[in-house]
Amino acid sequence: MSATNSPTAVVILAAGIGTRMKSPQPKVLHSILGDTLLGHVLSAVAPLNASRVVVVVGHGRDEVTAYLNQSWPQVSTVVQEHQNGTGHAVKVVLEAFPELASGTVVVLAGDSPLLTTHDISELIHAASNCQAAVLSAHVDEPHGYGRIIRNGDDTVCCIVEEKDATDEQKFITEVNSGVYAFSGELLATSLASVTAHNAQGEQYLTDVVEILTQSGHSVRASLTTQTNILGVNDRAQLAQAAAILRNRINEEHMIAGVTLVDPQTTWIDRTVTIESDATILPNVHLTGHTSIATQAVIGPDSTLHDTTVLLGAHVTRTTASGAIIGMHASVGPYTFLRPDTVLGEGAKAGGFVEMKNAQLDAGAKVPHLSYVGDATIGEGTNIGAATIFVNYDGVDKHHTTIGKHVRIGSDTMLVAPVTVGDGAYTAAGSVITEDVPAGAIGVARAKQRNIVDWVLRRRPGSKSAQAALADSSRKHEEGA
Ligand code: UD1
Ligand code: MG
């Protein structure tokens, strides 16, 4: 086999049913850290620059194929109609793509999301000096895995499946990860003589190892950690894999200079970028294409999806999706930023504020208890507490435009479409349905009238009436 690190092909086995997940969804499409199990495997494979990557699909083929067409369009699929075993799955691929037999073929399973590019490269390197190599690991609990049987010279003699192993072989703790690199030519000829004469009645890919060694070829094992080979078969392993991946990602960020106050409760997708000297407080989830700039402080208790946070911004107890949070802006607590919210430099979206498709220019503030939907708000403007942007008439959404240095009084209803000019005010409690010109105050509320002694007449003897009477007699005594 040529001593190259660029394999001809990568074959990913993903046709199995995944019974133990107890899910209508194909196992390889279950997600951890924002990507499917299969996606994580494909991400580890991608840097190898294989000339072809083939995924073997069977159970749930429509969903898996749809996912691949959408997210990995360059990947080929081959259907294995009946799951007659891992050896059979590879046979089906070589029948569909006979040209693969002329190079190196790497085979791995679609449910091993913790494999690294480094593991696979090392394996290919090990195989370059012989005819095949298998990725193995010493594990604490080998039950269920195929055991690696070594020759005296340290090469691999064969792999014995759990169900076919003798009691003595079951004590072996070096196991088969299910990842291999083969000379394609020898793989094709060996597979032709693989049978299903074993405990499971399946054509085992692992039998290729013994067929090779018995015909005088040598097979090596490349060791990695038991963590990296973890396969996901049930929801407990799904959570275990997620925690390991979370720790790996968090460690990379901490080494790169990001403070994670509580890495155990910090979940960051691979697709997220964080600059050094940012601080992430406990219980923060950063997902999708979120980016966090230096000196920003996020958390505690925040979920940011596809959100951009610029230099020095503070985001506390916030849920945001598709938002841009400007330099030194401040968000939270208990704030909900929905898609197309843009906060300018030093802007503020305070407690119990919801925003959607709204632009808050530099220094503008929505400090308390407001809904801001479909609006542009000029620089230096202040939106009083409990203001509602009434953007929806039941049929269409409408836009509100607020100028610079405006003062919107507390509890204003801004009924869109409406415009408030630069420097204008609105009176607290106004329902603004018409434009307010620059510099004007819009007052739109009923004039107050007080009906004297109404409580004494209409609610006699009530606590309110007693309190009112006590107040008037005290004032009388004081001679007020
Ligand atoms: C396999 C290995 C075992 C190894 C273990 C590592 C064999 C015979 N055994 O066992 O030595 O320790 O992986 O996890 O290979 N698949 C298909 N088509 C099939 C059968 C399986 O695509 O006909 C796929 C499955 O979806 C899965 C992978 O191949 O992704 C492994 O198959 P599985 O049945 O889980 O093999 P194991 O018994 O775990
Ligand atoms: Mg398995």
Side-chain angles (χ1 to χ4, degrees):
M1 213 151 88
S2 69
T4 166
N5 262 14
S6 191
T8 301
V10 174
V11 175
I12 300 174
L13 306 184
I17 190 163
T19 320
R20 283 172 283 168
M21 294 300 280
K22 301 194 171 133
S23 172
Q25 191 181 36
K27 175 167 77 173
V28 292
L29 295 190
H30 282 258
S31 287
I32 54 174
L33 276 299
D35 201 358
T36 62
L37 299 180
L38 185 54
H40 287 290
V41 174
L42 285 163
S43 295
V45 164
L48 303 169
N49 293 318
S51 61
R52 189 183 287 281
V53 177
V54 188
V55 176
V56 183
V57 296
H59 282 281
R61 73 187 72 162
D62 293 344
E63 291 101 313
V64 177
T65 306
Y67 162 76
L68 289 170
N69 289 344
Q70 168 82 32
S71 303
W72 297 88
Q74 68 281 32
V75 166
S76 315
T77 55
V78 168
V79 176
Q80 184 194 19
E81 205 63 52
H82 301 288
Q83 282 67 58
N84 297 332
T86 47
H88 178 253
V90 176
K91 256 189 211 173
V92 171
V93 172
L94 291 181
E95 276 159 23
F97 298 104
E99 71 274 17
L100 302 193
S102 62
T104 303
V105 177
V106 170
V107 179
L108 35 84
D111 62 359
S112 308
L114 302 175
L115 280 174
T116 65
T117 308
H118 180 74
D119 289 333
I120 308 169
S121 307
E122 291 283 294
L123 177 73
I124 293 165
H125 182 69
S128 66
N129 302 318
C130 53
Q131 280 73 41
V134 50
L135 187 70
S136 69
H138 286 284
V139 301
D140 302 331
E141 185 38 80
H143 182 84
Y145 285 105
R147 309 296 204 283
I148 303 283
I149 315 292
R150 297 236 183 197
N151 292 314
D153 66 356
D154 226 30
T155 58
V156 176
C157 157
C158 60
I159 299 170
V160 182
E161 291 305 292
E162 172 83 27
K163 288 182 181 150
D164 303 292
T166 64
D167 287 345
E168 204 178 322
Q169 287 168 332
K170 284 181 185 165
F171 282 108
I172 296 171
T173 59
E174 185 183 7
V175 303
N176 171 23
S177 67
V179 184
Y180 322 78
F182 298 102
S183 139
E185 208 180 336
L186 289 172
L187 176 63
T189 50
S190 309
L191 278 174
S193 44
V194 167
T195 68
H197 300 144
N198 51 55
Q200 300 186 88
E202 287 183 0
Q203 298 176 33
Y204 292 166
L205 179 58
T206 46
D207 283 356
V208 167
V209 172
E210 193 170 6
I211 293 167
L212 284 173
T213 53
Q214 284 187 352
S215 55
H217 300 293
S218 76
V219 178
R220 297 193 173 274
S222 173
L223 272 164
T224 183
T225 63
Q226 64 174 338
T227 307
N228 290 16
I229 69 161
L230 180 78
V232 172
N233 296 300
D234 56 33
R235 311 278 179 146
Q237 286 170 328
L238 187 72
Q240 212 183 332
I244 294 165
L245 198 55
R246 177 200 63 206
N247 292 346
R248 268 192 203 166
I249 293 170
N250 286 350
E251 209 132 290
E252 284 168 21
H253 285 297
M254 290 187 281
I255 286 165
V258 178
T259 294
L260 304 186
V261 171
D262 185 16
Q264 301 291 312
T265 63
T266 303
W267 294 81
I268 305 171
D269 285 0
R270 272 239 178 275
T271 40
V272 170
T273 57
I274 312 181
E275 289 180 3
S276 64
D277 237 13
T279 299
I280 313 296
L281 298 172
N283 200 21
V284 168
H285 298 228
L286 304 176
T287 62
H289 295 283
T290 290
S291 67
I292 311 290
T294 188
Q295 291 168 40
V297 180
I298 313 296
D301 308 325
S302 296
T303 299
L304 309 187
H305 179 70
D306 287 349
T307 289
T308 300
V309 180
L310 299 180
L311 180 128
H314 282 232
V315 180
T316 304
R317 290 197 164 83
T318 290
T319 297
S321 177
I324 298 173
I325 298 168
M327 286 199 289
H328 302 292
S330 135
V331 181
Y334 309 108
T335 305
F336 185 23
L337 303 184
R338 292 165 53 203
D340 302 314
T341 294
V342 180
L343 305 190
E345 184 173 350
K348 176 185 174 109
F352 301 98
V353 168
E354 174 175 339
M355 296 182 69
K356 181 217 76 167
N357 184 32
Q359 185 182 324
L360 205 50
D361 285 349
K365 294 184 167 63
V366 188
H368 332 274
L369 297 155
S370 292
Y371 172 64
V372 183
D374 302 306
T376 40
I377 298 172
E379 68 176 56
T381 284
N382 190 79
I383 307 295
T387 290
I388 301 295
F389 285 62
V390 184
N391 60 330
Y392 186 47
D393 59 14
V395 179
D396 295 311
K397 303 278 168 68
H398 300 281
H399 196 86
T400 298
T401 305
I402 312 274
K404 301 173 185 170
H405 300 288
V406 168
R407 295 286 172 268
I408 297 293
S410 291
D411 201 24
T412 297
M413 300 281 154
L414 294 154
V415 182
V418 73
T419 297
V420 179
D422 289 347
Y425 277 51
T426 66
S430 289
V431 178
I432 301 294
T433 56
E434 285 168 26
D435 291 354
V436 181
I441 181 166
V443 185
R445 62 183 190 212
K447 194 165 168 53
Q448 181 174 336
R449 66 193 177 108
N450 295 335
I451 304 172
V452 172
D453 289 342
W454 183 93
V455 173
L456 300 184
R457 279 185 277 112
R458 302 297 283 271
R459 301 287 183 270
S462 67
K463 283 194 170 155
S464 303
Q466 287 164 19
L469 281 172
D471 178 72
S472 71
S473 60
R474 192 175 62 242
K475 284 185 178 143
H476 185 74
E477 277 166 24
E478 286 165 1

